[in-house]
Amino acid sequence: VQIENHEGQRDRARETVARLVREADHPPLNQTIEFANLLRTNGTYLYDHAEAVDQFTRAWEITAAHYGEDSPIALSDQRYIIVRDLNGPHRLDTARMLSSQAERVKAAFGEQSLDYADVLTIQCEMHETQENYTEAGTCWRQVLAIYENAPDAELLLAYTYDNIAANLLKLGNPSEALPFYERELAQRSKNFAPSNSNVIHSRLQIAKTRCLIGDIDRAIADYDQALQLN
């Protein structure tokens, strides 16, 4: 699945992990940490937010049973649940869950931990949903400050650069957004093949931003390059 995703074969990766979940969904295998990892991976590929919440909830129940509800992995699975519920079904008291997460993670791991950055990320996305783009931008820079001092955080940095840039665009600042998209592309290119959807996304965002700045010739060249790789 990881190889297929790396090569830009996201649909094939989605089909593979869904098949693995179906084949392994029987006792005692479906109560193992390995099966929880399959559920978690499958959830990230699902378009249906409600179905994804169900997958992440099953993963959380398994990890909480093995390691306890306050364990790092169980807290992480709960954050997956919160994010997908916010994006879709709104069946849960996500504000209460997130507040509890923030206090527990801060006490256990500190405000410079990757776990706390995960909690902040959800708060940033909530600001965006409420169209509070200035607050979202400030929040994403807090996340960035944590990732910049964390080892092996290239993909996390790329995700954060993308969000900072997107907020700057919404605030009407394409010239400030462009360097963040360029940093995102540099990070993505270290980890993915040129045909990967994440890399192409970065290239398209750079082209779009150049258009907004008025650098039309370079924007056209960037669009052409992205389309050729797709």
Side-chain angles (χ1 to χ4, degrees):
V1 170
Q2 291 174 349
I3 290 170
E4 288 171 349
N5 186 54
H6 176 83
E7 293 178 344
Q9 302 295 325
R10 186 175 174 84
D11 287 340
R12 195 162 65 190
R14 183 186 303 109
E15 292 169 4
T16 300
V17 74
R19 175 177 55 79
L20 290 171
V21 168
R22 289 194 301 272
E23 291 175 354
D25 196 0
H26 56 80
L29 192 58
N30 63 2
Q31 294 304 310
T32 63
I33 292 299
E34 290 78 8
F35 186 71
N37 186 47
L38 277 179
L39 290 169
R40 193 179 305 115
T41 305
N42 190 41
T44 63
Y45 282 104
L46 291 172
Y47 295 123
D48 185 316
H49 293 301
E51 188 178 354
V53 168
D54 292 340
Q55 295 281 287
F56 290 135
T57 299
R58 288 188 68 191
W60 174 78
E61 289 170 347
I62 294 168
T63 54
H66 278 270
Y67 299 116
E69 291 186 14
D70 287 326
S71 64
I73 190 169
L75 288 171
S76 175
D77 281 337
Q78 190 182 58
R79 290 195 291 274
Y80 280 109
I81 296 168
I82 292 170
V83 169
R84 292 308 285 267
D85 185 75
L86 283 169
N87 287 326
H90 303 292
R91 297 184 305 204
L92 306 172
D93 187 353
T94 48
R96 180 191 59 79
M97 293 169 68
L98 187 59
S99 176
S100 173
Q101 275 266 337
E103 293 305 315
R104 290 154 76 187
V105 169
K106 191 188 300 183
F109 309 114
E111 294 185 37
Q112 294 302 308
S113 66
L114 292 178
D115 292 82
Y116 192 64
D118 285 348
V119 176
L120 283 176
T121 292
I122 302 173
Q123 293 177 344
C124 299
E125 291 171 347
M126 289 177 71
H127 284 310
E128 290 175 346
T129 300
Q130 296 161 2
E131 299 185 1
N132 297 325
Y133 300 123
T134 300
E135 291 85 348
T138 300
C139 183
W140 282 117
R141 288 175 191 272
Q142 288 180 270
V143 174
L144 179 62
I146 297 173
Y147 290 155
E148 285 179 330
N149 293 302
D152 304 318
E154 287 91 350
L155 294 178
L156 296 171
L157 281 168
Y159 175 74
T160 309
Y161 291 146
D162 183 75
N163 282 286
I164 291 173
N167 277 282
L168 287 167
L169 285 186
K170 288 167 184 173
L171 289 168
N173 300 318
S175 296
E176 294 180 39
L178 181 59
F180 286 102
Y181 279 132
E182 291 174 334
R183 290 183 212 173
E184 178 194 2
L185 176 60
Q187 294 291 355
R188 299 280 191 205
S189 299
K190 291 179 185 177
N191 294 278
F192 294 112
S195 60
N196 182 273
S197 59
N198 291 297
V199 177
I200 292 172
H201 164 80
S202 299
R203 292 189 180 281
L204 290 172
Q205 289 303 109
I206 288 172
K208 171 186 173 181
T209 307
R210 289 196 194 283
C211 246
L212 293 171
I213 293 170
D215 191 354
I216 304 302
D217 290 340
R218 292 187 67 182
I220 291 171
D222 286 338
Y223 272 123
D224 286 343
Q225 186 175 11
L227 292 173
Q228 288 169 11
L229 293 169
N230 190 4

